[in-house]
Amino acid sequence: MTASPFTIRKLEAFCYRYPLQTPVVTSFGTMLNRPAVFVRVEDEDGVAGFGEAWCNFPAPGAEHRTRLLNEVLAPAVIGCSAAEPLQLFERLTEGTAVLALQSGEAGPFAQAIAGIDLAVWDLFARREGKPLWRLLGGSGPTIRVYASGINPAGARATAEAALERGHRALKLKIGFELVSDRANLASLRDAVGDGIQAADVNQGWSLDQAVRLAPELASFDLAWLEEPIRADRPWSEWQALRNRIGTPLAAGENIASRAGFTQALGDDVLGVVQLDVAKWGGLSLGVTIAREIRKAGKTFCPHYLGGGIGLLASAHLLAGVGGDGLLEVDANDNPLRDLLSGPVAKISDGAVTLSEAAGIGIQPDFAAIEAHRIW
Ligand SMILES: [Mg+2]
């Protein structure tokens, strides 16, 4: 890329919480509200870009990331010049590495820096006057999506509403009671027909449980089984599981290092790899890893369960690198997502089509979500 250098003159992070009528339930915890941390950067030419930092857990995490952004990272990035986003990403990561280590907060730092990186990529694409998906090398604006975050309670109703909105693929949260998991999978298979169905255990099983329980789900023809065991279990356990079951395995949202992705791509254990660009790596590492995922012959399905800006960035990344993967689109009630996700909120026949507008393609309407702002 031969773009003209830009200098950051302002960075602000904003924290939101949307209260839920129906909590989002996973095998490891429950979300009583939906948080979001949005990031706005502005350069000395007055061009602004928008990003989002992952903040779903633990419950008070959004406020912490917001303060980390505004009080620690903003002073580190203001006045910095770069010719491309990766330079700023590396400078911020290296410049805060000791602090992250000393505080034991590698995750929050990586998430906050990812949020800045998404905003800087948006700014960079706007300066270039190109949609992000084109800047990342995409050949077309249309991507497939799937409805995610489907709770065990009321699963059929959530699935039917998603199908009504245009979805053709569903992912259910499992890892609860086998009887109810099976009943929900049968019900969703019936609802989606020949469409794609996947299941997410959210790291809920031991290897022994996974070896015993996964075959019980074989009849549902799952496209993938996601994080059946903990992401940090020895790779030999993942390999053992892969050798024992026929369903493709998926993981990636809890991989947070280059070495982790190198291992994940090095053999045939994972069929689906799910990098979350707002959680680790931003687009600066994300685009490289996504291309490596495809090169390794695996399916790249961006992980995403936050607000609209990070969802849009993830959509642009998938369109940018291509392949037969699907974008994760949360099926639960969340205006912090729907009011800021532009064309991704308009699903037709299981797909969305991004626009030709520069950057992520929208001017975020923060006024529309002001009632939910915390900071
Ligand atoms: Mg998951």
Side-chain angles (χ1 to χ4, degrees):
M1 279 179 259
T2 54
S4 59
F6 56 93
T7 302
I8 303 297
R9 77 171 173 199
K10 199 171 180 187
L11 185 153
E12 293 173 286
F14 313 103
C15 183
Y16 297 84
R17 285 195 181 276
Y18 172 69
L20 288 174
Q21 300 287 337
T22 307
V24 177
V25 181
T26 70
S27 61
F28 65 86
T30 298
M31 299 173 81
L32 300 174
N33 56 64
R34 301 306 300 264
V37 176
F38 297 124
V39 182
R40 180 184 184 277
V41 293
E42 185 180 315
D43 70 12
E44 287 193 338
D45 298 320
V47 181
F50 301 90
E52 182 174 348
W54 184 95
C55 64
N56 282 342
F57 297 99
E63 286 79 355
H64 178 52
R65 273 68 164 182
T66 305
R67 291 192 66 175
L68 204 51
L69 280 155
N70 286 329
E71 296 173 29
V72 178
L73 293 166
V77 83
I78 289 167
C80 285
S81 298
E84 56 180 32
L86 179 63
Q87 293 170 357
L88 274 184
F89 177 86
E90 287 179 337
R91 204 176 310 166
L92 266 182
T93 300
E94 286 160 17
T96 57
V98 173
L99 193 53
L101 190 62
Q102 182 69 28
S103 57
E105 298 218 3
F109 271 90
Q111 294 145 21
I113 291 171
I116 294 173
D117 186 72
L118 299 191
V120 170
W121 272 96
D122 180 35
L123 177 149
F124 184 67
R126 288 176 199 257
R127 286 178 64 89
E128 297 290 294
K130 292 180 183 169
L132 199 44
W133 65 266
R134 270 194 195 283
L135 194 73
L136 297 173
S139 58
T142 300
I143 54 170
R144 294 194 301 160
V145 300
Y146 71 93
S148 173
I150 299 176
N151 272 338
R156 176 71 180 237
T158 307
E160 282 178 351
L163 294 168
E164 191 72 23
R165 288 197 304 277
H167 278 288
R168 297 291 177 267
L170 307 172
K171 185 174 83 185
L172 175 73
K173 289 187 175 296
I174 64 167
F176 306 96
E177 295 297 326
L178 179 61
V179 172
S180 59
D181 285 349
R182 281 182 56 93
N184 277 334
L185 287 169
S187 180
L188 262 58
R189 172 50 72 200
D190 178 55
V192 79
D194 292 335
I196 287 175
Q197 184 184 17
D200 191 350
V201 190
N202 288 113
Q203 312 185 84
W205 292 336
S206 66
L207 176 60
D208 285 350
Q209 285 176 303
V211 167
R212 181 165 47 84
L213 295 170
E216 301 270 352
L217 313 178
S219 62
F220 302 114
D221 191 25
L222 297 177
W224 70 81
L225 183 64
E226 186 168 324
E227 294 194 322
I229 60 176
R230 273 174 52 159
D232 64 350
R233 293 307 299 165
W235 196 241
S236 57
E237 288 197 9
W238 283 85
Q239 289 170 320
L241 184 58
R242 177 71 189 94
N243 292 335
R244 299 283 291 276
I245 69 169
T247 309
L249 295 175
E253 67 187 275
N254 290 308
I255 299 176
S257 69
R258 287 293 283 147
F261 280 101
T262 299
Q263 180 177 59
L265 301 184
D267 60 21
D268 71 348
V269 168
L270 298 182
V272 175
V273 185
Q274 303 162 302
L275 172 72
D276 188 323
V277 291
K279 195 170 184 185
W280 178 82
L283 286 167
S284 284
L285 297 186
V287 67
T288 302
I289 291 171
R291 287 181 187 135
E292 289 172 1
I293 293 167
R294 289 207 56 202
K295 210 169 154 191
K298 301 176 188 304
T299 302
F300 171 51
C301 291
H303 175 269
Y304 209 75
L305 214 80
I309 293 174
L311 180 63
L312 263 177
S314 304
H316 279 266
L317 175 59
L318 181 57
V321 300
D324 61 355
L326 296 89
L327 173 69
E328 176 167 22
V329 177
D330 185 3
N332 296 295
D333 175 31
N334 188 358
L336 305 177
R337 178 194 64 240
D338 288 342
L339 295 175
L340 299 180
S341 59
V344 178
K346 299 180 194 75
I347 298 153
S348 176
D349 200 17
V352 300
T353 298
L354 301 173
S355 76
E356 289 289 343
I360 57 171
I362 63 159
Q363 288 298 332
D365 181 9
F366 292 122
I369 56 169
E370 182 61 26
H372 308 303
R373 186 162 168 194
I374 305 289
W375 283 347

